[in-house]
Amino acid sequence: MNYESIKQEDPQILESILAEEKRQREGIELIPSENYTSAAVMEACGSILTNKYSEGYPGKRYYGGQENIDVIENMAIDRAKELFGAEHANVQPYSGSPANTAIYFALLEFGDTVMGLKLDHGGHITHGLPIAFSGKAYNFIQYGVNKETGKIDMEEVRRLALEHKPKMIVAGFTAYPRDIEWKKFKEIADEVGALTMADISHTAGLVAGGALESPVPYFDVVMTTTHKTLRGPRGAIILCKEKHAKAIDRAVFPGLQGGPHEHTIAGKAIAFKEALQPEFKEYAMQVKKNAEYLADAMMKRGFKLISDGTDTHLILADLTSKNIPGKEAQVALDKVGITLNKNTIPDDPRSPFDPSGIRLGTPAVTTRGMKEPEMERIADWIDRTIQNHENETELLKIKEEVKTMCVKFPVPGILG
Ligand code: DSN
């Protein structure tokens, strides 16, 4: 990126941007919800489109001067529909949490019974966490994973659905390594007359690239953020059946949001075009292959993985047997330039601020072009870092090795 204007106007901010560029270029990004968006997406997000207000929808706005904005938003809508085979798309949600809230606002009454995955079993705060808006505004019944398999217990989902007769069943995750059985969820929902809502924020890129099955044909509503495996700008979209289109659109605007961020919507449109290209399929397949390889390489080094592997881009490791809590592991890995996040494991005896596990994934490293040989090296560095987490000399040595490899794999938008 060219930062000439920031250089002139605000060198203090530029200093931190450049330091962050260096961190992103010289380190390994394993946070499974992060990725590198393209230079084209970043140009759109940094464009003059940020100057424009456009409350309403294409053709029905509350401000003048919409002739270009409508073209952009319509392109984003059409491409989102084509990419996911959806009947209707709303591209205005600012991010995942407001998008999920808009869906509930559109299709539920306050106090309605809803089912969602427990946070410490891999769900999201918007899937019914008792202290969050979702958990306070609706009567969420939480399902979880099976203790032995680490996989969502579909028998429990069915039992709870029959017992509580929810108005909606939410499926999707932020920290669950396995694919979701969309058809089974749909069958259970049909049995009790519930609406189905899928949150595919983590896996949308894999769904779009054909590496995972899509819930779009079966589910009433599907929400995804656009910046994770989908590799677009920070934001979200809602896809739904035509029969819910009006309710969803009214819930997003004017129900919850004011003016849409059209610079981000242009970025979303570009990302959808990129995801429609054949190369994106290769990327999606490789994300999954890399995650499978990395999971195996970690298990060979004695790591205990929740569900003993992954079907997706995401790996959840229980570090109890490695005698290091997740937080300490995250700090040590930060020191060598490997970024991931501490994470609770199902029924974690420790607190969310200092949990037993770590969560990692392969979207960002795959975008940089890393493949199986690099996954082997990454598994080795993670293992060595954890074994030597109090040995500063060894950590510095690993940091140099990480940097030497990383600079060979360019980050989109960062000049080497
Ligand atoms: N913060 C996202 C994640 O890291 O999974 C979910 O909202």
Side-chain angles (χ1 to χ4, degrees):
M1 298 286 281
N2 174 352
Y3 296 114
E4 279 311 308
S5 305
I6 306 182
K7 194 174 176 179
Q8 298 304 322
E9 206 176 300
D10 198 334
Q12 275 173 299
I13 286 288
L14 183 60
E15 199 181 317
S16 291
I17 293 177
L18 294 179
E20 176 60 14
E21 266 200 6
K22 183 172 153 62
R23 190 194 70 80
Q24 291 194 13
R25 181 167 170 267
E26 295 179 0
I28 295 172
E29 185 53 73
L30 292 178
I31 293 177
S33 48
E34 293 189 12
N35 212 329
Y36 306 106
T37 200
S38 71
V41 168
M42 284 188 274
E43 279 175 18
C45 293
S47 74
I48 45 76
L49 294 171
T50 198
N51 298 340
K52 191 75 197 96
Y53 254 120
S54 53
E55 283 176 17
Y57 289 101
K60 287 170 281 177
R61 306 279 192 186
Y62 291 83
Y63 292 77
Q66 303 294 340
E67 58 270 36
N68 307 308
I69 297 297
D70 277 5
V71 173
I72 289 168
E73 192 167 329
N74 275 328
M75 271 197 279
I77 292 169
D78 290 345
R79 289 175 187 176
K81 284 163 67 177
E82 183 184 348
L83 186 59
F84 291 100
E87 290 177 19
H88 179 76
N90 186 307
V91 297
Q92 294 191 358
Y94 300 143
S95 208
S97 299
N100 280 347
T101 308
I103 295 168
Y104 303 150
F105 193 50
L107 303 177
L108 303 172
E109 298 299 330
F110 292 130
D112 274 351
T113 298
V114 190
M115 280 175 53
L117 181 61
K118 268 184 229 167
L119 186 71
D120 71 331
H121 284 220
H124 188 246
I125 48 177
T126 56
H127 299 175
L129 181 69
I131 57 163
F133 178 82
S134 58
K136 285 190 184 293
Y138 305 99
N139 173 35
F140 261 90
I141 306 295
Q142 305 258 265
Y143 57 88
V145 300
N146 178 290
K147 269 193 172 44
E148 260 73 69
T149 63
K151 297 182 183 176
I152 291 174
D153 187 340
M154 295 308 291
E155 278 312 307
E156 187 195 29
V157 173
R158 183 163 182 269
R159 184 179 57 71
L160 290 172
L162 290 171
E163 184 184 339
H164 296 280
K165 301 272 184 303
K167 186 152 172 205
M168 177 185 277
I169 299 182
V170 179
F173 60 80
T174 60
Y176 176 71
R178 295 293 173 178
D179 200 5
I180 303 276
E181 296 180 83
W182 305 117
K183 274 188 221 157
K184 265 200 191 161
F185 267 103
K186 172 70 176 146
E187 278 165 24
I188 294 169
D190 283 349
E191 215 176 327
V192 298
L195 292 163
T196 41
M197 194 280 239
D199 180 342
I200 60 166
S201 294
H202 263 263
T203 53
L206 304 188
V207 168
L212 288 178
E213 194 191 13
S214 171
V216 172
Y218 317 112
F219 272 48
D220 289 288
V221 194
V222 176
M223 191 290 294
T224 180
T225 49
T226 44
H227 49 273
K228 298 188 175 84
T229 48
L230 195 49
R231 221 162 55 180
R234 218 146 259 276
I237 56 171
I238 300 173
L239 310 164
C240 66
K241 301 286 183 216
E242 195 56 48
K243 65 181 172 189
H244 301 303
K246 207 167 162 191
I248 291 290
D249 285 353
R250 286 172 71 115
V252 172
F253 174 83
L256 267 147
Q257 298 188 175
H261 296 176
E262 295 294 344
H263 53 306
T264 310
I265 290 176
K268 290 176 192 176
I270 294 169
F272 301 151
K273 184 175 178 186
E274 291 171 356
L276 282 160
Q277 308 310 311
E279 308 83 83
F280 195 84
K281 281 196 167 43
E282 284 168 34
Y283 148 80
M285 298 294 173
Q286 190 64 44
V287 167
K288 218 176 130 184
K289 276 197 223 163
N290 280 349
E292 275 164 24
Y293 192 97
L294 181 57
D296 281 346
M298 286 177 73
M299 287 192 287
K300 279 188 194 134
R301 287 163 175 83
F303 283 89
K304 163 89 188 95
L305 303 189
I306 303 301
S307 84
D308 297 319
T310 178
D311 299 324
T312 62
H313 62 300
L314 187 150
I315 296 165
L316 188 59
D318 174 359
L319 297 183
T320 312
S321 63
K322 292 277 181 187
N323 294 318
I324 183 170
K327 189 173 162 186
E328 250 179 81
Q330 180 190 301
V331 169
L333 287 158
D334 258 343
K335 286 186 187 169
V336 303
I338 295 179
T339 315
L340 43 66
N341 65 278
K342 60 178 188 271
N343 213 95
T344 49
I345 55 166
D347 303 314
D348 204 323
R350 300 177 65 92
S351 89
F353 293 109
D354 190 10
S356 303
I358 49 172
R359 185 186 71 151
L360 59 157
T362 52
V365 289
T366 308
T367 295
R368 285 179 90 164
M370 295 182 194
K371 294 198 167 142
E372 287 84 344
E374 287 74 38
M375 298 308 114
E376 187 69 36
R377 300 192 71 188
I378 291 172
D380 209 47
W381 284 322
I382 293 174
D383 194 28
R384 272 171 61 202
T385 302
I386 283 175
Q387 281 184 38
N388 295 284
H389 65 278
E390 284 167 340
N391 179 345
E392 295 296 331
T393 316
E394 185 64 12
L395 295 183
L396 270 178
K397 204 168 142 213
I398 299 171
K399 186 181 173 147
E400 272 312 302
E401 291 172 20
V402 166
K403 181 178 157 184
T404 305
M405 184 185 87
C406 281
V407 294
K408 294 188 187 130
F409 293 89
V411 174
I414 300 182
L415 303 172

